[in-house]
Each structure stands twice: as structure tokens, then as C-alpha cells.
Amino acid sequence: MIEIKNLCKQFEDRQVLKDISAVFENGKTNLIIGQSGSGKTVLMKNLVGLLDPTSGEVLYDGRDFVAMSKKEKIMLRREMGMIFQSAALFDSLTVLENVMFPLDMFSNMNLKERIKRARTCLDRVNLSEAESKYPGEISGGMQKRVAIARAIALNPKYLFCDEPNSGLDPKTSLVIDDLLRGITQEFNITTIINTHDMNSVMGIGDNILYIYEGRKEWQGHSKDIMDSDNQKLTDFIFASDLLKKMRKAVTGKQ
Ligand SMILES: Nc1ncnc2c1ncn2[C@@H]1O[C@H](COP(=O)(O)OP(=O)(O)O)[C@@H](O)[C@H]1O
Ligand SMILES: [Mg+2]
């Protein structure tokens, strides 16, 4: 479980995150949703320590991350897996070598054990056959699956994904979503996913945090979205007129 308390982030005179408090639960796909520019990536960077909050707390199962020494933060980072938009695969390494990379860096395993572990992770994302290929030789969806395999190689307790479906078609996005949720439940990971993909919101939104201009606007389960009276959330979710009409037909609400 990750808890944030009164989190604020300011860049010079610009306040991007405004007093956000929320809980992200283990075994669940916790989604952070909101329009482009609302602060999702900045929030995630504050969670993993790529940015430091201006004020507030980030608690990893009760451990105060912000207050930790650099050494303690590095130790805690080993419990985190990350799939960031920009964190691409290493083009000059094979798929298997990419998944082995965190093991080479951070584990005490010998070569045989590292290969075995990497193969287990590739098998989990159904990519065993592609282990000798290079990233340039496989599809975007497969590359995302390699990134997931790499992110789980060290058995993380916490998994962070920034827009994992960006650039993927809807069908491939579903595969990625199912995989992320499956892994989350199987290994009881606290998974946090930034997204503005409505299929993901409705499909794997176990616990959704909606932020609007850096403020927490709503938090709840996807099944409660339809009934929400929060106008900003409704406008965001039902951005198209067609969806608004469908919602009105189902719930009678505007
Ligand atoms: N390093 C930075 N310095 C100043 N402003 C930033 C910085 N990083 C992000 N921002 C601003 O913070 C806001 C939120 O950005 P971001 O978290 O990337 O939005 P999202 O991921 O929801 O699309 C944007 O207005 C962006 O310009
Ligand atoms: Mg972003």
C-alpha cells in the first residue's frame, strides 16, 4: 500500500500538485486519470523519487519515503518496478538481455539463475519465443510486454506505469491491461497506472484517482463512475456527446 498525504509540488511560481491525499492499495490496479497537463506524470515522479515534493508525505507501507536518506531511497527503489513512457528498451540488447538487465545490476544471482528468472518473466508475458530478437524486430505491443517483464524481474512490491497504452491500438491495449492486472493480483503488487484511456478506466479501474488541474477531484471504483455527480469527472469521462446521451439514457443523469 502506498499512501500520500497533502502532497504539493511547485515549480518556481507554478503549483502543479495541490494538496493531494490518497491511498493506493496492494493487489489492485490503481489508476491516476486526468486530462493532459493535469499533473499525472509529475505525481508519479514524486512517488518514485524522480522529483521531490515541495511538501507532504509519501508512505510505502508506512515508510516515509520523502524523509529517507539517499541510501535508504536507493534500497526502497529496488522494491519498485517502472514502465515509463520514455524508458524504452535498450536497442542493442536482445529481449532476454533487456529483461536480465535489472538482475545484472541489482541481484546477487549467478548467470544461470539470471537467465532462468528472465525466462520466467518472459514466459509470464507470453514472449518466450522472442527472447533472441532485438527490440527493433518486434511490434510495439511486444515491446511493452518486454518492458513489463523487465519491470517485474526483481519481484517488485510496487509497479508504476506511465501511460502504458500510449501508441498502441485498442486490442493490444486490452492485452497490456489484462497483463498488468493479472500480474498485480498474482503477486499482490501495489500497481499505479497513469492513463487517459477510457477502456482502461472502465476495464481495470479498481481504484481511480481523478485529478483536475493538480487537485484531487474524485476517487473511487470504475463501477461508481457512471453514478458520480461530480461534474468535472463526468465531463472528462463522457467527453463525447454520444457517451453523454448514453449515460442519460442509462442513469437519467445529465
Ligand atoms: N520540470 C517542470 N518544470 C515546470 N513545469 C513542469 C515540469 N514538469 C511538468 N511541468 C508542468 O506540470 C504540469 C503537469 O504536467 P504532467 O504531470 O506532465 O501532466 P500529465 O502527465 O497529466 O499530462 C504541466 O503544465 C507541465 O507543463
Ligand atoms: Mg503524462
Side-chain angles (χ1 to χ4, degrees):
M1 186 182 95
I2 300 172
E3 188 174 5
I4 53 177
K5 290 185 181 170
N6 307 107
L7 199 73
C8 295
K9 179 64 185 176
Q10 189 152 348
F11 296 106
E12 285 155 13
D13 58 345
R14 189 146 187 260
Q15 199 174 357
V16 172
L17 300 180
K18 300 160 188 164
D19 198 30
I20 300 181
S21 298
V23 170
F24 306 103
E25 293 169 58
N26 44 294
K28 291 194 175 167
T29 39
N30 303 276
L31 305 190
I32 301 173
I33 67 170
Q35 300 178 312
S36 179
S38 58
K40 302 181 294 295
T41 297
V42 170
L43 176 53
M44 193 169 272
K45 284 183 175 171
N46 276 277
L47 295 182
V48 303
L50 288 171
L51 288 170
D52 292 320
T54 309
S55 61
E57 292 173 43
V58 178
L59 305 171
Y60 281 82
D61 290 299
R63 297 170 290 175
D64 186 349
F65 186 57
V66 182
M68 283 180 189
S69 67
K70 207 168 172 183
K71 207 171 150 195
E72 289 170 321
K73 281 185 181 171
I74 290 168
M75 293 299 287
L76 184 57
R77 274 220 193 90
R78 294 189 190 179
E79 299 176 23
M80 303 178 191
M82 295 178 207
I83 306 164
F84 271 72
Q85 240 173 317
S86 53
L89 302 173
F90 303 111
D91 288 333
S92 59
L93 300 182
T94 65
V95 162
L96 185 69
E97 287 163 350
N98 264 282
V99 180
M100 284 173 67
F101 186 79
L103 302 168
D104 298 340
M105 294 289 286
F106 299 117
S107 81
N108 301 320
M109 297 176 181
N110 64 36
L111 181 64
K112 213 173 143 192
E113 291 166 334
R114 296 201 302 275
I115 292 174
K116 187 163 175 253
R117 174 69 190 150
R119 284 191 170 141
T120 303
C121 296
L122 278 174
D123 186 45
R124 183 64 188 79
V125 300
N126 288 320
L127 273 184
S128 297
E129 269 91 274
E131 70 166 56
S132 307
K133 293 207 156 69
Y134 286 87
E137 300 172 322
I138 59 177
S139 69
M142 288 165 87
Q143 290 175 9
K144 282 280 154 70
R145 276 146 67 195
V146 177
I148 294 172
R150 186 173 66 181
I152 61 169
L154 288 164
N155 263 322
K157 275 193 181 153
Y158 316 98
L159 184 61
F160 300 90
C161 315
D162 196 4
E163 307 271 1
N165 293 338
S166 70
L168 301 182
D169 61 77
K171 211 172 146 192
T172 308
S173 296
L174 278 181
V175 172
I176 298 297
D177 281 355
D178 282 349
L179 201 51
L180 288 172
R181 187 187 234 178
I183 286 166
T184 298
Q185 293 175 345
E186 187 178 334
F187 303 112
N188 198 30
I189 304 172
T190 302
T191 297
I192 303 183
I193 302 170
N194 282 353
T195 188
H196 56 254
D197 180 341
M198 281 312 136
N199 287 323
S200 304
V201 173
M202 299 321 267
I204 59 165
D206 293 335
N207 176 30
I208 299 166
L209 170 66
Y210 172 53
I211 52 177
Y212 181 84
E213 292 181 358
R215 240 178 253 289
K216 171 177 167 175
E217 190 61 45
W218 185 86
Q219 187 163 17
H221 194 278
S222 60
K223 66 177 163 43
D224 300 321
I225 278 192
M226 280 289 226
D227 282 334
S228 166
D229 285 320
N230 186 303
Q231 194 60 48
K232 290 195 182 88
L233 176 69
T234 312
D235 286 347
F236 175 69
I237 297 288
F238 303 99
S240 81
D241 283 345
L242 177 64
L243 280 173
K244 279 209 180 86
K245 278 183 193 145
M246 280 169 65
R247 177 176 189 258
K248 188 157 185 257
V250 173
T251 67
K253 290 179 180 172
Q254 285 296 338

